[in-house]
Structure formats: structure tokens, C-alpha cells
Amino acid sequence: GKESFIRKPGTPLRVWAHRGGSSASPENTAASDEVARRARAEWIENDVQPTKDDVPVILHDDTVDRTTDGTGAVRSLTAAQVGALDAGSWFAPAFAGQRVPTLASQLDGLKTRGGNLLLEVKGAHTRDSVARIVSEVRSRGMSSRVFVQSFEPQHLRWMHELAPELPLGLLRSTLDPDPVAIAKDLELSAYNPSDAALSARPGAIAELHAAGVAVNVWTVDDAARWDALEKAGVDGVITNRPAELAGWNAAF
Ligand code: G3P
Ligand code: CA
């Protein structure tokens, strides 16, 4: 079976660096990987979307408008067009020249420098574009270093069909009435609710653990909440402040 992502008693919260080190650098770029790596975050969260020509690229929004110097839907632009954009200047002039990474370049960087990838399958995917993600991961022998999450059950179903070796997490902004049932149906390794969603019924943590499913909460940047979630038995936190969470963990 797959590795369990449930936290062992007495061990600290797993740190998932949301869009990389995104409070200190432009999200979803090589620069934000570097910040997360320096924070010793084991896992970097990136969003992956297909371009017009089905190349998987690392971008959060449906358009390039907010985080680059270009405009338009990522699905309407070729990989070459997206790759020519500046993805750093919007954050601060010092980051001029950062690019929208391809998934391929992201995996190459992790393979060289270490670290693991929490990959959120986001946006206008098809079965073919999900298959393209799988082939990028497998061709580099990176399957044991990638965890896939999505808000879209269909994306996870395709992923499970195409790459049963990859652990899967379902993102939720409201709690399901029966999270264990959906976790079993989708063969999840983790159920990843927002902090507000989980707060509605913290008892879901024990139910999911009994079913072998980990619980990771997003997006939590506040030490008082890290403490409460750790005590509640949560396994990991997706945070914009990986250095601070790692420091908090070190004092655990
Ligand atoms: O990893 C959880 C989080 O990334 C989901 O929301 O909008 O930041 O992709 P979003
Ligand atoms: Ca995300």
C-alpha cells in the first residue's frame, strides 16, 4: 500500500509550503521554491494548469493577469507565450525575470536540489492533460516525491486511473457530511479542508484517522492556530509562512 501521511504521536506538524515561500517571494516560481527550501519545508505546494498546447505549467489563477506582466487565460496561451512572461516583478522589482515554471522544470529542480511536491491539479484539465502530468512525473522517477491534491473529484479519479501509485488528497472549503465515505470512494490518502471547514466539526479528524486518511488544513499562517490544530490531531498545515512553522516545529 501507499505510505501513510498520518502524523505519528510526538512528531511535529508536516509543513506544506503554500505556493512555495509565498509570503516572502512571488508564489509558484523558482524563487519561492528557494525560500521554502531554505525554510527546510519538506513539501512545496504548487498549482498546475494546462496551457493551450496542453503543457502543464505552475500557476494559480485561471489567467496570467495577477502574477505576470501578461494578460489572458492560461488555457488560451501556448507554453512558449506563458514562458516568455515575467512572473516576479509584480511581487517586487528584485524578482524581475522569474518565469512561470513548467511542471518539467519544477520537477527537475526538485530532483536536483531535494524536496517534494504537493501538486494541486487546478483549472481546465482533461484526462489528456492529467496524463501529461503523470508522464512528466514518471519519466523522472519522481512518483515517490509527489502528492496530488484537487478540489475536483474528477481530477482525482483520472489521476487514480492513470497513476494509482500517487497519493491523493481532496481539497474542501466546506466539510462533507461523511468525509470517510468520500475518502474511501476516491481512495484518498488525505482529506484537506480549509481551517474554517474543519472548525465546523473537528471530530472528523478522528473519523478520518480511523479510516487511515490524513488531515491537512489550509491555509494557516498563525502560530496560535498551529498550536490548536496540532493539539486537535491534525497531520499537516499548508502555510504561506513555512519558515515560521518550521521554527515553531523546532521548538515543539
Ligand atoms: O493547498 C490548499 C490551497 O492551495 C487551496 O487553495 O486557492 O490557494 O489553491 P488555493
Ligand atoms: Ca493551491
Side-chain angles (χ1 to χ4, degrees):
K2 289 176 209 170
E3 176 193 349
S4 171
F5 281 80
I6 297 177
R7 180 166 59 99
K8 293 182 183 63
T11 63
L13 291 167
R14 189 182 299 271
V15 180
W16 310 88
H18 184 234
R19 312 184 195 173
S22 57
S23 67
S25 55
E27 66 185 54
N28 284 328
T29 64
S32 67
D33 289 353
E34 188 54 33
V35 171
R37 193 172 295 116
R38 275 196 231 120
R40 297 194 167 78
E42 276 180 79
W43 290 86
I44 291 169
E45 192 253 9
N46 282 157
D47 306 285
V48 65
Q49 301 199 47
T51 58
K52 184 178 185 178
D53 42 349
D54 260 358
V55 175
V57 296
I58 304 299
L59 189 83
H60 178 271
D61 297 1
D62 293 344
T63 74
V64 299
D65 299 20
R66 179 178 60 89
T67 57
T68 77
D69 58 349
T71 56
V74 60
R75 200 56 166 143
S76 71
L77 300 168
T78 65
Q81 288 172 317
V82 172
L85 301 174
D86 182 318
S89 295
W90 72 275
F91 187 86
F95 293 103
Q98 287 293 312
R99 298 291 163 200
V100 175
T102 59
L103 175 61
S105 68
Q106 203 62 343
L107 290 167
D108 287 341
L110 288 170
K111 190 162 183 171
T112 308
R113 290 184 289 272
N116 306 299
L117 187 59
L118 171 59
L119 195 58
E120 181 182 344
V121 181
K122 207 175 188 76
H125 282 279
T126 62
R127 197 174 191 282
D128 284 350
S129 66
V130 171
R132 179 75 182 256
I133 294 171
V134 170
S135 83
E136 302 277 17
V137 171
R138 281 187 176 159
S139 67
R140 290 171 177 78
M142 295 278 282
S143 294
S144 66
R145 294 167 58 182
V146 172
F147 192 112
V148 172
Q149 65 174 1
S150 183
F151 284 100
E152 293 295 333
Q154 184 59 57
H155 294 166
L156 298 177
R157 290 186 203 284
W158 283 328
M159 194 56 82
H160 183 68
E161 283 169 31
L162 293 160
E165 74 276 19
L166 294 178
L168 302 179
L170 179 65
L171 286 162
R172 284 303 207 212
S173 44
T174 56
L175 212 64
D176 296 284
D178 188 352
V180 170
I182 194 160
K184 286 188 171 158
D185 180 40
L186 293 172
E187 303 194 48
L188 302 179
S189 295
Y191 184 88
N192 297 348
S194 68
D195 193 19
L198 183 66
S199 297
R201 198 164 61 78
I205 300 166
E207 294 166 20
L208 285 155
H209 283 172
V213 180
V215 179
N216 303 295
V217 182
W218 50 278
T219 302
V220 187
D221 294 341
D222 172 66
R225 283 305 294 159
W226 297 334
D227 192 56
L229 292 168
E230 190 279 316
K231 288 188 169 71
V234 158
D235 300 290
V237 167
I238 299 165
T239 182
N240 294 310
R241 300 176 68 218
E244 290 82 355
L245 177 52
W248 184 86
N249 269 341
F252 181 78

PDB file of all heavy atoms in Angstrom, residues 68-83:
ATOM      1  N   THR A  68       1.726  37.936 -13.488  1.00  0.00           N
ATOM      2  CA  THR A  68       2.733  38.159 -14.536  1.00  0.00           C
ATOM      3  C   THR A  68       2.510  39.536 -15.171  1.00  0.00           C
ATOM      4  O   THR A  68       1.547  40.236 -14.851  1.00  0.00           O
ATOM      5  CB  THR A  68       2.684  37.108 -15.678  1.00  0.00           C
ATOM      6  OG1 THR A  68       1.585  37.407 -16.535  1.00  0.00           O
ATOM      7  CG2 THR A  68       2.577  35.694 -15.137  1.00  0.00           C
ATOM      8  N   ASP A  69       3.365  39.856 -16.133  1.00  0.00           N
ATOM      9  CA  ASP A  69       3.202  41.117 -16.874  1.00  0.00           C
ATOM     10  C   ASP A  69       2.355  40.918 -18.129  1.00  0.00           C
ATOM     11  O   ASP A  69       2.249  41.816 -18.959  1.00  0.00           O
ATOM     12  CB  ASP A  69       4.571  41.711 -17.230  1.00  0.00           C
ATOM     13  CG  ASP A  69       5.432  40.775 -18.065  1.00  0.00           C
ATOM     14  OD1 ASP A  69       5.073  39.572 -18.199  1.00  0.00           O
ATOM     15  OD2 ASP A  69       6.463  41.232 -18.601  1.00  0.00           O
ATOM     16  N   GLY A  70       1.713  39.751 -18.272  1.00  0.00           N
ATOM     17  CA  GLY A  70       0.865  39.487 -19.430  1.00  0.00           C
ATOM     18  C   GLY A  70      -0.608  39.519 -19.073  1.00  0.00           C
ATOM     19  O   GLY A  70      -0.987  39.822 -17.938  1.00  0.00           O
ATOM     20  N   THR A  71      -1.448  39.197 -20.068  1.00  0.00           N
ATOM     21  CA  THR A  71      -2.890  39.097 -19.829  1.00  0.00           C
ATOM     22  C   THR A  71      -3.431  37.888 -20.576  1.00  0.00           C
ATOM     23  O   THR A  71      -2.844  37.431 -21.556  1.00  0.00           O
ATOM     24  CB  THR A  71      -3.663  40.339 -20.339  1.00  0.00           C
ATOM     25  OG1 THR A  71      -3.372  40.513 -21.731  1.00  0.00           O
ATOM     26  CG2 THR A  71      -3.301  41.590 -19.571  1.00  0.00           C
ATOM     27  N   GLY A  72      -4.554  37.396 -20.084  1.00  0.00           N
ATOM     28  CA  GLY A  72      -5.256  36.323 -20.782  1.00  0.00           C
ATOM     29  C   GLY A  72      -5.336  35.041 -19.978  1.00  0.00           C
ATOM     30  O   GLY A  72      -4.616  34.844 -18.994  1.00  0.00           O
ATOM     31  N   ALA A  73      -6.251  34.180 -20.434  1.00  0.00           N
ATOM     32  CA  ALA A  73      -6.434  32.876 -19.801  1.00  0.00           C
ATOM     33  C   ALA A  73      -5.254  31.980 -20.129  1.00  0.00           C
ATOM     34  O   ALA A  73      -4.794  31.946 -21.274  1.00  0.00           O
ATOM     35  CB  ALA A  73      -7.733  32.235 -20.299  1.00  0.00           C
ATOM     36  N   VAL A  74      -4.759  31.262 -19.142  1.00  0.00           N
ATOM     37  CA  VAL A  74      -3.614  30.372 -19.387  1.00  0.00           C
ATOM     38  C   VAL A  74      -3.980  29.337 -20.452  1.00  0.00           C
ATOM     39  O   VAL A  74      -3.134  28.947 -21.271  1.00  0.00           O
ATOM     40  CB  VAL A  74      -3.113  29.732 -18.071  1.00  0.00           C
ATOM     41  CG1 VAL A  74      -4.181  28.896 -17.387  1.00  0.00           C
ATOM     42  CG2 VAL A  74      -1.860  28.895 -18.310  1.00  0.00           C
ATOM     43  N   ARG A  75      -5.260  28.948 -20.506  1.00  0.00           N
ATOM     44  CA  ARG A  75      -5.710  27.944 -21.473  1.00  0.00           C
ATOM     45  C   ARG A  75      -5.721  28.489 -22.904  1.00  0.00           C
ATOM     46  O   ARG A  75      -5.815  27.725 -23.871  1.00  0.00           O
ATOM     47  CB  ARG A  75      -7.104  27.468 -21.054  1.00  0.00           C
ATOM     48  CG  ARG A  75      -7.556  26.139 -21.599  1.00  0.00           C
ATOM     49  CD  ARG A  75      -6.611  24.995 -21.296  1.00  0.00           C
ATOM     50  NE  ARG A  75      -7.192  23.694 -21.528  1.00  0.00           N
ATOM     51  CZ  ARG A  75      -6.520  22.646 -22.032  1.00  0.00           C
ATOM     52  NH1 ARG A  75      -5.249  22.772 -22.398  1.00  0.00           N
ATOM     53  NH2 ARG A  75      -7.096  21.484 -22.168  1.00  0.00           N
ATOM     54  N   SER A  76      -5.626  29.831 -23.034  1.00  0.00           N
ATOM     55  CA  SER A  76      -5.635  30.438 -24.378  1.00  0.00           C
ATOM     56  C   SER A  76      -4.222  30.768 -24.857  1.00  0.00           C
ATOM     57  O   SER A  76      -4.043  31.268 -25.967  1.00  0.00           O
ATOM     58  CB  SER A  76      -6.489  31.706 -24.370  1.00  0.00           C
ATOM     59  OG  SER A  76      -5.824  32.734 -23.653  1.00  0.00           O
ATOM     60  N   LEU A  77      -3.213  30.514 -24.023  1.00  0.00           N
ATOM     61  CA  LEU A  77      -1.829  30.859 -24.354  1.00  0.00           C
ATOM     62  C   LEU A  77      -0.996  29.586 -24.520  1.00  0.00           C
ATOM     63  O   LEU A  77      -1.209  28.610 -23.800  1.00  0.00           O
ATOM     64  CB  LEU A  77      -1.217  31.707 -23.214  1.00  0.00           C
ATOM     65  CG  LEU A  77      -1.924  33.039 -22.922  1.00  0.00           C
ATOM     66  CD1 LEU A  77      -1.409  33.634 -21.605  1.00  0.00           C
ATOM     67  CD2 LEU A  77      -1.704  34.021 -24.065  1.00  0.00           C
ATOM     68  N   THR A  78      -0.056  29.645 -25.452  1.00  0.00           N
ATOM     69  CA  THR A  78       0.846  28.494 -25.607  1.00  0.00           C
ATOM     70  C   THR A  78       1.897  28.504 -24.497  1.00  0.00           C
ATOM     71  O   THR A  78       2.127  29.527 -23.845  1.00  0.00           O
ATOM     72  CB  THR A  78       1.581  28.551 -26.960  1.00  0.00           C
ATOM     73  OG1 THR A  78       2.423  29.713 -26.954  1.00  0.00           O
ATOM     74  CG2 THR A  78       0.616  28.590 -28.128  1.00  0.00           C
ATOM     75  N   ALA A  79       2.558  27.368 -24.327  1.00  0.00           N
ATOM     76  CA  ALA A  79       3.615  27.292 -23.321  1.00  0.00           C
ATOM     77  C   ALA A  79       4.722  28.299 -23.634  1.00  0.00           C
ATOM     78  O   ALA A  79       5.305  28.899 -22.718  1.00  0.00           O
ATOM     79  CB  ALA A  79       4.174  25.878 -23.258  1.00  0.00           C
ATOM     80  N   ALA A  80       5.008  28.498 -24.910  1.00  0.00           N
ATOM     81  CA  ALA A  80       6.048  29.472 -25.282  1.00  0.00           C
ATOM     82  C   ALA A  80       5.628  30.880 -24.880  1.00  0.00           C
ATOM     83  O   ALA A  80       6.451  31.664 -24.369  1.00  0.00           O
ATOM     84  CB  ALA A  80       6.312  29.397 -26.784  1.00  0.00           C
ATOM     85  N   GLN A  81       4.351  31.213 -25.088  1.00  0.00           N
ATOM     86  CA  GLN A  81       3.867  32.540 -24.689  1.00  0.00           C
ATOM     87  C   GLN A  81       3.923  32.723 -23.172  1.00  0.00           C
ATOM     88  O   GLN A  81       4.369  33.762 -22.676  1.00  0.00           O
ATOM     89  CB  GLN A  81       2.430  32.747 -25.202  1.00  0.00           C
ATOM     90  CG  GLN A  81       2.354  32.940 -26.704  1.00  0.00           C
ATOM     91  CD  GLN A  81       0.905  32.939 -27.217  1.00  0.00           C
ATOM     92  OE1 GLN A  81       0.076  32.116 -26.800  1.00  0.00           O
ATOM     93  NE2 GLN A  81       0.627  33.845 -28.132  1.00  0.00           N
ATOM     94  N   VAL A  82       3.478  31.705 -22.446  1.00  0.00           N
ATOM     95  CA  VAL A  82       3.496  31.795 -20.976  1.00  0.00           C
ATOM     96  C   VAL A  82       4.936  31.878 -20.468  1.00  0.00           C
ATOM     97  O   VAL A  82       5.254  32.655 -19.566  1.00  0.00           O
ATOM     98  CB  VAL A  82       2.760  30.581 -20.348  1.00  0.00           C
ATOM     99  CG1 VAL A  82       2.938  30.561 -18.831  1.00  0.00           C
ATOM    100  CG2 VAL A  82       1.273  30.610 -20.709  1.00  0.00           C
ATOM    101  N   GLY A  83       5.827  31.106 -21.110  1.00  0.00           N
ATOM    102  CA  GLY A  83       7.216  31.052 -20.662  1.00  0.00           C
ATOM    103  C   GLY A  83       7.975  32.348 -20.877  1.00  0.00           C
ATOM    104  O   GLY A  83       9.031  32.559 -20.270  1.00  0.00           O
TER     105      GLY A  83
END
